[in-house]
Amino acid sequence: MAKLRLFPTRNPAEKAAAHRAMAKAALFADSSAKTRLKRYNHHTEKARALEAEQAHIRRSRLMKAYDTLRAENAEVSQ
């Protein structure tokens, strides 16, 4: 059976935005202050983790491209 997802997206930036929205919504929920803060912190932490993961992926791609260009330049200069 297919897994039902609340936010069916694969883009980490969109997931992070969704978690930021859920964090804000948690602050105004009809719950105790302790529960609201717990939910807010959970979603904020998740959004930060997704953004850090995305930054790491971008950095890795840039370094790979840089290494490729360096290798190509080294071959041309020889």
Side-chain angles (χ1 to χ4, degrees):
M1 187 167 131
K3 185 176 179 182
L4 180 65
R5 293 185 186 182
L6 184 59
F7 296 100
T9 179
R10 295 177 192 217
N11 184 351
E14 290 177 11
K15 284 184 181 181
H19 278 285
R20 282 193 299 274
M22 287 186 279
K24 289 178 185 175
L27 292 176
F28 300 103
D30 190 19
S31 307
S32 68
K34 181 180 178 181
T35 301
R36 287 181 286 158
L37 181 61
K38 182 179 174 183
R39 288 180 185 161
Y40 173 81
N41 287 334
H42 167 75
H43 288 296
T44 303
E45 184 179 311
K46 186 73 173 174
R48 286 180 185 152
L50 287 165
E51 289 167 345
E53 177 185 342
Q54 188 177 17
H56 176 71
I57 290 169
R58 269 191 255 132
R59 206 172 310 123
S60 297
R61 287 179 183 161
L62 284 173
M63 290 305 296
K64 189 174 183 178
Y66 174 75
D67 291 342
T68 303
L69 286 173
R70 263 182 88 187
E72 289 174 1
N73 285 339
E75 290 174 4
V76 170
S77 65
Q78 289 180 355

